[in-house]
Amino acid sequence: MTSSSSSSSSTQELLNTLLNNPSTIKSKLQAKQLHAQILKTRPNPSPSHISALLSLYSNFANLLRDSLLLFQTLHSPPPLAWKSLIRSYTSHGFFLQSVASFVRMRASGRYPDHNVFPTVLKSCAMLGDLTLGESLHGSVVRHGMDSDLYTCNALMNMYSKFRSLGKNGGERFSARQVFDEIPEWKGGVESYFGGVEKREVNADASRDSIESSEMSKEMETRLPRTSNASGISKRKEVERHVQMDSVRKVFDMMPYRDLVSWNTVIAGSAQNGMYEEALSMLREMGNNNMKPDSYTLSSVLPIFAEYVDIIKGKEIHGHAIRNGFDADVFIGSSLMDMYAKCTRMEDSLRVFDLLPRCDAISWNSIIAGCVQNGMCDEGLRFFRQMLTAKIKPMPVTFSSIMPACAHLTTLHLGKQLHGYIIRSRFDYNVYIASSLVDMYAKCGNIRTARWIFDRIETHDMVSWTAIIMGCAFNGYAHDAISLFEQMEAKGTKPCYVTFIAVLTACSHAGLIDKAWEYFNLMTQRFGIAPGLEHYAALADLLGRAGRLEEAYNLISDMHIEPTGSVWLTLLAGCRVHKNVELAEKVAEKIFMVDPLNMGAYVILSNVYAAARRWKDVARLRASMKKKGMRKKPACSWIEVRNKVHAFVAGDNSHPYYDRINVTLKVLLEKMEREGYVPDTNEVLHDVDEEQKKALLSSHSERLAIAFGIISTSAGTPLRITKNIRVCVDCHTAIKYISKIVGREIIVRDNSRFHHFNGGKCTCGDYW
DNA sequence: ATAGGGTTAG
């Protein structure tokens, strides 16, 4: 069809095509040309022609405005026009308007048929309002559509979506809002045909026609809710089952089921955490001669990711390959995620490499997989590749990549991403905000973290935990505890991780009684079984306070098997309090469960060195060598003008090496005048005092600090990150340095933050 | 004509 055919007779042909063979019109352009053609010769097309054109328009994207204009020319829109309008609204994401139009259609006396219900039900699923959904279900039943295949499939999907939308903080709408939306012709739309009369909308009639409450009652008798009074604590579980019970009821009443029906139930169960039900439906579907397709497989793969079941996951992967589904982006994404959750990144990367086409979600999968497995640099590389490939990042992309910045302490990257997030208007997404809070906190910028936290609209458990952990990590224990109390007052239930944060705060401030109080609160009131991290925080606290026996008994009486890292916290306590006997006993425990624990070797060596037991130091060194263990060199890094500078003790390759040494020497003189006495006790080498002092002042954090002093202007805070713990002497030394240079120095080591200012550190004696 | 799938934060 071309625009050159302009005679009246050919217009008649076009109209016949429109009415009888609309499927021959395959493009938006053709549809618009047809519209223009009709206008040229027929100033007043019949309602059936307009409806047919409207139906055609609703097949294409970005024609909503044209559809609305066309619709407005109709004084009494026939069913086809209504259905097309509703379809247009839904396909353009105007779900509220879609349902409202359905209500208006009913108010105008037109009857819905089996074609329109699936679309309306889909809109309702997106709106996430249960009451509205039940009303629509009532309408389905009263119009005799409760045996229609497509309608039932849409109904099941709708019920299964209510929970997951609510859980994700998706916007919730109510039937009330649908009514508010009904007088939707707010002017500004002018007709192509001119001379449109404004029609009155009878809102009362609309209200009568849907009768939400009455329908809800009707639905209650048809779909009785399970009265599962198993307990208040499992309220969430029960709620979840109520929706899935409705899905099952629809499923069981269906006279005929197709693959979509099965897939809808399986996906619904999987998405609502009912994994066993989903898997039993998968088996049952085979008994009913239904062969799983790519939809089925991509729905069940997340279950094996959650179960960390690589065997079953690989079975599905094999099935996908045998059936030619392995090029499917949906299956690819869930496969990458499954392998990543099973810590099999090689397999995950291979799936990614073999995927012929990638969309935003498959990029997210590989990025999240890398970051979750500690491959932060690779994650960032994929993120850049994604941008290069012109794939627009989604909110999920940012919450996946931000932890990489937090882990690497690359504040400049995190800030850059934050800028991108603000420009994309994603900054009120609670997932992203939580990851930003964590990133800023982990980069030592607790004020910005708090600023972002304060601007989150509704805090959830994770965002509370992020800020509490942020304060705890940064040494602001009392803020952390106060925030925890605020969280309780707001009625947000703390979880396992929240208590790790609270106990970390206590350990940072030496609040032993408080810590026990929270430990008991967690176990007794919240019924959370303490994990390794909780025990570690408590043992750390007791150890630092010198209550070594108490810590030893705590770890010995744990209800789970302690790992080397739990014992290691106590070993560190033994070092601080110079208890050689207990240190040996604890180290023995560690070597029993973890013979290659580097930390244990290093700390025990420190303990021996402090006691001048050089033979034991040598024995340990020989033992390490025999096992092929090499001490990981201490490394510190600092960000200066968006570039990360890394320093290793004794490394003289840095261009500023000489200037750094001069600065350190000048500083040392000033420090000694202020009263600094080097603590050479932990120097592992049996050398003279002067050499020990020289070794101490070449520790990597001091090189990084000196570099920071040289290359930034006066008053700028210095942020240092170290891969291992800051030693006792450096801790003392940095206090002096902060006073002398009048700067805030923030040092993050693998376990906590130290904010030095004016000769003091936030962690006080509990370094 | 109309219905079904994958990825995030502490």
Side-chain angles (χ1 to χ4, degrees), chain A residues 198-477:
Chain A
K198 275 223 163 168
R199 284 160 299 139
E200 289 292 314
V201 175
N202 188 342
D204 286 334
S206 316
R207 209 162 286 143
D208 289 341
S209 74
I210 193 161
E211 284 282 352
S212 308
S213 56
E214 198 182 293
M215 279 185 208
S216 294
K217 261 183 231 158
E218 185 187 336
M219 290 322 305
E220 261 170 52
T221 53
R222 293 189 67 95
L223 294 171
R225 294 179 183 225
T226 325
S227 51
N228 189 343
S230 62
I232 312 150
S233 62
K234 288 198 170 174
R235 199 178 62 88
K236 247 184 155 177
E237 292 275 320
V238 174
E239 262 181 20
R240 214 157 65 176
H241 284 258
V242 168
Q243 330 292 354
M244 283 313 291
D245 277 356
S246 300
V247 174
R248 272 314 290 254
K249 280 208 157 61
V250 174
F251 185 83
D252 291 340
M253 289 191 310
M254 286 172 75
Y256 169 77
R257 305 175 190 97
D258 70 352
L259 193 51
V260 176
S261 320
W262 285 92
N263 284 342
T264 306
V265 180
I266 291 173
S269 304
Q271 287 159 356
N272 286 292
M274 297 164 63
Y275 303 134
E276 288 309 314
E277 289 84 347
L279 295 177
S280 88
M281 288 301 277
L282 180 67
R283 283 186 289 271
E284 211 178 306
M285 115 183 234
N287 300 337
N288 284 268
N289 293 322
M290 289 282 175
K291 203 167 150 49
D293 68 353
S294 66
Y295 282 78
T296 329
L297 301 188
S298 56
S299 304
V300 297
L301 269 168
I303 299 176
F304 301 127
E306 179 73 29
Y307 282 167
V308 196
D309 187 342
I310 186 79
I311 309 284
K312 292 265 170 45
K314 280 204 157 192
E315 270 176 40
I316 302 284
H317 191 177
H319 190 276
I321 292 171
R322 283 192 298 279
N323 289 278
F325 298 142
D326 51 328
D328 183 302
V329 268
F330 287 81
I331 293 190
S333 306
S334 44
L335 273 175
M336 284 188 269
D337 180 57
M338 185 274 294
Y339 283 125
K341 297 259 158 70
C342 297
T343 68
R344 300 281 289 253
M345 277 314 288
E346 329 79 63
D347 295 310
S348 188
L349 288 164
R350 203 162 58 222
V351 173
F352 180 80
D353 288 337
L354 292 173
L355 219 52
R357 204 175 49 79
C358 272
D359 64 2
I361 296 184
S362 39
W363 279 104
N364 287 341
S365 298
I366 197 68
I367 292 171
C370 287
V371 177
Q372 287 161 356
N373 284 288
M375 296 162 61
C376 296
D377 291 321
E378 287 84 349
L380 287 164
R381 213 184 63 224
F382 279 122
F383 178 71
R384 291 194 196 93
Q385 277 181 31
M386 177 182 180
L387 296 182
T388 312
K390 298 270 179 236
I391 306 288
K392 250 190 135 146
M394 309 159 65
V396 180
T397 320
F398 291 107
S399 35
S400 306
I401 197 68
M402 199 56 75
C405 303
H407 190 251
L408 298 171
T409 348
T410 46
L411 185 60
H412 72 282
L413 248 178
K415 278 184 173 172
Q416 219 170 302
L417 286 169
H418 191 183
Y420 201 140
I421 288 164
I422 293 170
R423 285 194 296 279
S424 316
R425 300 172 189 229
F426 293 156
D427 46 336
Y428 287 103
N429 176 309
V430 71
Y431 279 71
I432 294 181
S434 304
S435 69
L436 278 170
V437 167
D438 184 60
M439 186 277 294
Y440 278 110
K442 290 227 171 86
C443 290
N445 204 333
I446 187 67
R447 282 178 177 222
T448 310
R450 184 59 191 263
W451 189 89
I452 292 167
F453 175 81
D454 287 341
R455 275 152 193 80
I456 295 176
E457 272 180 69
T458 37
H459 298 108
D460 65 359
M461 188 230 292
V462 177
S463 48
W464 278 110
T465 306
I467 192 68
I468 294 170
M469 188 68 103
C471 290
F473 226 69
N474 279 278
Y476 298 101

Side-chain angles (χ1 to χ4, degrees), chain A residues 48-67:
Chain A
S48 61
H49 284 131
I50 295 176
S51 299
L53 196 56
L54 202 49
S55 168
L56 194 55
Y57 270 17
S58 64
N59 289 335
F60 303 110
N62 302 324
L63 285 180
L64 180 62
R65 188 185 150 79
D66 304 76
S67 298

Side-chain angles (χ1 to χ4, degrees), chain A residues 5-42:
Chain A
S5 49
S6 56
S7 72
S8 185
S9 63
S10 66
T11 302
Q12 188 57 50
E13 283 169 29
L14 289 173
L15 290 173
N16 287 339
T17 310
L18 180 62
L19 288 179
N20 305 319
N21 279 315
S23 59
T24 56
I25 299 152
K26 288 192 169 25
S27 78
K28 210 152 57 169
L29 182 66
Q30 284 182 332
K32 283 208 156 196
Q33 282 173 339
L34 179 63
H35 189 176
Q37 201 64 37
I38 294 166
L39 281 182
K40 261 189 184 168
T41 51
R42 311 240 167 159

